[in-house]
Amino acid sequence: MPAQRPASHTTDTASRHVHAIIRIEGELDALVLPEFRQTLTTALRAGVAIVVLDLRNTRFLSIGNAAVLICAATEAVANGVDLRMVVGRREVDRVLRLSGARSLLNSYHSLSAALEV
């Protein structure tokens, strides 16, 4: 199976509150870990108040990428950014829970809920 691009980073300045959305489609495995880390770092340093990680279309999350999320949660707090996530699949949520990443991030059931202030 060919590797898929793990993330797209968009910044929405049309709304009242500026935010960044990172949409992950496919698998977050070891192959895409460096790109995922860089995408998160870029979003967290973009000067936005809210970064939403949309994992609804993520089929797999490696423990290494869960560790990246734990580091991102720490960086978010240091930068005054509210890092939020939307989780869809139970398999992904299980890795988040087992790694401890789930308890560090605000979790929502929909993107619209995650974007509310």
Side-chain angles (χ1 to χ4, degrees), residues 77-90:
V77 170
N79 291 337
V81 175
D82 186 358
L83 180 57
R84 304 173 179 187
M85 69 178 167
V86 182
V87 179
R89 298 179 69 106
R90 288 184 317 184

Side-chain angles (χ1 to χ4, degrees), residues 31-42:
L31 184 64
V32 297
L33 189 145
E35 184 180 353
F36 180 55
R37 180 186 300 124
Q38 184 58 49
T39 298
L40 276 171
T41 300
T42 299

Side-chain angles (χ1 to χ4, degrees), residues 23-77:
R23 289 183 177 93
I24 308 296
E25 296 185 4
E27 300 179 348
L28 277 174
D29 56 18
L31 184 64
V32 297
L33 189 145
E35 184 180 353
F36 180 55
R37 180 186 300 124
Q38 184 58 49
T39 298
L40 276 171
T41 300
T42 299
L44 292 172
R45 295 178 182 172
V48 296
I50 299 169
V51 173
V52 178
L53 182 60
D54 183 354
L55 299 174
R56 292 174 299 168
N57 293 315
T58 305
R59 295 186 308 270
F60 174 79
L61 175 68
S62 72
I63 198 71
N65 281 296
V68 167
L69 283 174
I70 291 169
C71 292
T74 302
E75 182 173 348
V77 170

